[in-house]
Amino acid sequence: MSSAPSAASVPSPAARLRGLKPDWLSDPNVWRTEVLAGLVVGLALIPEAISFSIIAGVDPAVGLFASFTMAVVISVVGGRRAMISAATGAVALVIAPLNREHGLGHLVAAVILAGVFQVVLGALGVARLMRFVPRSVMVGFVNSLAILIFMAQVPEMTDVPWAVYPMIAAGLAMMVLFPKITTVVPAPLVSIVILTVITVAAGIAVPTVGDKGALPSSLPVPGLPDVPFTLDTLTTIAPYAFAMALVGLMESLMTAKLVDDITDTHSDKTRESIGQGIANIVTGFFGGMGGCAMIGQTMINVKVSGARTRLSTFLAGSFLMVLCVVFGPVVSDIPMAALVAVMVMVSFATFDWHSIAPKTLRRMPAGEIAVMLVTVACVVATHNLAIGVVVGSVTAMVIFAKRVAHLAEVTAVTDPDRTTVVYRVTGELFFASAGDLVGRFDYAADPEKVVIDLSAAHIWDASSVAALDAIEHKYAQRGKTVKITGLNDPSAHLHGRLSGGLTAGH
């Protein structure tokens, strides 16, 4: 008879409650890290959001509102903790033509529809496609991201007062040296505060955040897009909305995978896909320009500041709006040089330097290097990470198909009495290798009985079945019989289902 559990073995209600608490509620150190990381990201989001608003051709407030709502909503419904979502350049590029031709109302309606598309695609399991992105594409994605982050800072370093350059250098020096003293306060925050104080106190005339555009003075209010709710409107915005949905999901899922690798944790990609859609729907109803995962700011949050929870994401959006509405005049005085220094440091930390080391390049297969370079080249040329990932993945598939197309080997053994020949096929049979298979048999000289042994092969597709049918037909034309043996269960099932039914006639 089992005994009742002792009082000591049963956790108290308070203990059970503590177990349900997130880390940032129970650990003051985590709380401090998350709060300070959110503040740094919130500061860095402001000029970025304004810049992307300019790209999209909308008022700066539209981009800032989008960054606020995207970050706050995704912190609750997203599948990747500590990842930052906000207005992004990729989304701005997609929807800029729509705003230019039809106005802000159509842009906002497209954002809402894009969110609906993302929810549907997420529910259909589009996140599972990420498994087909090769490592070489991922490395190219990371490196091209670092290059784009740096390139985005170049305009802030050209045709500017000479004082900008020593300020950038000082900011970089502080971010390198300050962590050696303490990591309690994020080095980027220290750099931003010190450079701002010096600029204001000394009256140094350098470009500031305020020069990028006016900050909003009030919170966004919800409302419906100012468009006629007709089929014509739907057909106008649908192509832009679908493109935005695909680009946003691609960047978000790639960023989530990158954060998974950095933090050695797993994220729910399906939840993240649906969450991005929900965040864009909410953003659209609040008049924002939409967005997706923001890779540069995520690197600040995760890699530079050490954030790991949803709190930093929530606070990044919240601090952004508080800084704009309450502390607008102070934030406007932050020198752009301070934020440029932060982003240059992020660029340097993001780049995978090991991937281009001579030792690595000597050991890496040429095809892998080519895929990485193609990915980087496409992203840098188009300024669109999604295009680079798609082209890189297709390139990798082509190289892989070409490589394995020659792995199907055929060896023939003829019986001493010359009545039977056995062809042993080894390797993977699919569309790329099946085409060569037909030409590997000696139809005229072989004896009357032909055995094709596939015990060391696997049939993957209809092209392979069609090739085997063609081989049997060629032998049959010469009055010879073919027996196929050694099929494993999946291959036998596919061959039995498709054989003889792929062509109308021979």
Side-chain angles (χ1 to χ4, degrees):
M1 188 170 122
S2 61
S3 59
S6 65
S9 65
V10 178
S12 66
R16 287 197 297 267
L17 184 60
R18 282 196 300 272
L20 294 174
K21 285 182 179 180
D23 292 341
W24 52 268
L25 275 179
S26 56
D27 189 339
N29 293 325
V30 174
W31 168 269
R32 181 176 58 247
T33 299
E34 299 298 309
V35 171
L36 293 176
L39 180 57
V40 173
V41 174
L43 286 168
L45 277 173
I46 294 174
E48 296 281 304
I50 295 174
S51 298
F52 298 145
S53 300
I54 295 171
I55 292 173
V58 297
D59 187 82
V62 176
L64 290 165
F65 288 159
S67 295
F68 163 61
T69 54
M70 287 292 298
V72 169
V73 174
I74 205 67
S75 70
V76 178
V77 301
R80 172 64 259 178
R81 292 180 297 172
M83 191 166 76
I84 305 296
S85 289
T88 59
V91 168
L93 287 170
V94 171
I95 61 177
L98 178 64
N99 179 67
R100 187 168 54 247
E101 296 172 13
H102 299 280
L104 180 61
H106 281 72
L107 182 151
V108 172
V111 170
I112 296 172
L113 183 58
V116 174
F117 282 144
Q118 288 177 329
V119 170
V120 173
L121 289 171
L124 291 175
V126 70
R128 289 193 291 269
L129 295 176
M130 288 302 297
R131 73 183 70 176
F132 298 108
V133 178
R135 181 187 177 279
S136 51
V137 174
M138 191 66 190
V139 173
F141 169 82
V142 171
N143 289 346
S144 56
L145 156 66
I147 294 171
L148 286 186
I149 292 174
F150 182 82
M151 289 175 61
Q153 312 314 310
V154 173
E156 305 296 338
M157 295 186 283
T158 55
D159 298 325
V160 293
W162 68 269
V164 168
Y165 303 109
M167 290 182 70
I168 293 175
L172 291 171
M174 281 188 276
M175 283 184 284
V176 171
L177 298 175
F178 190 78
K180 300 181 184 299
I181 301 172
T182 180
T183 57
V184 172
V185 182
L189 180 59
V190 174
S191 174
I192 292 170
V193 171
I194 292 177
L195 290 178
T196 302
V197 170
I198 293 174
T199 302
V200 174
I204 302 174
V206 293
T208 63
V209 171
D211 296 331
K212 286 288 184 180
L215 302 180
S217 57
S218 61
L219 295 173
V221 293
L224 295 174
D226 184 18
V227 294
F229 292 91
T230 63
L231 182 60
D232 183 60
T233 299
L234 180 62
T235 56
T236 299
I237 67 173
Y240 295 96
F242 191 66
M244 175 184 164
L246 292 179
V247 169
L249 284 180
M250 181 78 73
E251 292 210 20
S252 299
L253 293 174
M254 290 294 287
T255 305
K257 190 172 187 299
L258 179 60
V259 177
D260 289 352
D261 294 339
I262 292 173
T263 61
D264 291 325
T265 57
H266 175 72
S267 61
D268 188 337
K269 305 298 190 304
T270 297
R271 177 177 173 179
E272 181 62 36
S273 302
I274 297 173
Q276 288 289 329
I278 295 172
N280 272 305
I281 292 171
V282 173
T283 297
F285 282 119
F286 276 91
M289 59 180 276
C292 61
M294 203 171 189
I295 307 168
Q297 311 305 327
T298 297
M299 291 299 101
I300 294 177
N301 196 47
V302 174
K303 201 165 188 177
V304 179
S305 301
R308 292 293 184 270
T309 76
R310 298 179 185 274
L311 179 63
S312 58
T313 306
F314 177 85
L315 290 178
S318 301
F319 280 142
L320 164 68
M321 198 48 54
V322 170
L323 289 167
C324 290
V325 175
V326 181
F327 300 102
V330 176
V331 173
S332 295
D333 288 333
I334 296 176
M336 285 300 300
L339 299 175
V340 168
V342 172
M343 297 310 294
V344 169
M345 180 60 71
V346 170
S347 172
F348 184 85
T350 301
F351 197 91
D352 186 352
W353 297 100
H354 176 72
S355 67
I356 61 170
K359 183 178 179 181
T360 303
L361 294 177
R362 283 195 298 269
R363 298 170 58 185
M364 190 72 67
E368 301 283 316
I369 297 174
V371 169
M372 181 181 70
L373 293 177
V374 166
T375 303
V376 172
C378 287
V379 171
V380 173
T382 63
H383 285 229
N384 190 318
L385 290 160
I387 292 177
V389 170
V390 171
V391 174
S393 298
V394 171
T395 303
M397 292 176 187
V398 171
I399 292 175
F400 174 77
K402 184 177 180 181
R403 183 185 304 158
V404 300
H406 304 291
L407 295 182
E409 297 293 335
V410 179
T411 55
V413 177
T414 305
D415 281 355
D417 57 6
R418 300 288 299 171
T419 60
T420 305
V421 60
V422 177
Y423 283 94
R424 182 175 176 80
V425 181
T426 304
E428 308 301 319
L429 299 181
F430 67 114
F431 63 90
S433 59
D436 293 334
L437 187 66
V438 179
R440 307 290 289 275
F441 295 81
D442 192 348
Y443 303 101
D446 281 342
E448 293 184 358
K449 295 181 180 180
V450 178
V451 176
I452 301 177
D453 181 7
L454 297 177
S455 57
H458 186 96
I459 298 175
W460 287 103
D461 59 6
S463 298
S464 305
V465 177
L468 292 173
D469 283 353
I471 293 168
E472 290 186 85
H473 177 66
K474 287 180 179 294
Y475 277 117
Q477 287 179 321
R478 294 167 174 81
K480 302 175 182 180
T481 60
V482 175
K483 182 180 181 181
I484 297 177
T485 63
L487 288 171
N488 56 36
D489 289 342
S491 298
H493 176 73
L494 184 65
H495 184 265
R497 183 159 54 93
L498 297 179
S499 181
L502 295 174
T503 56
H506 294 295

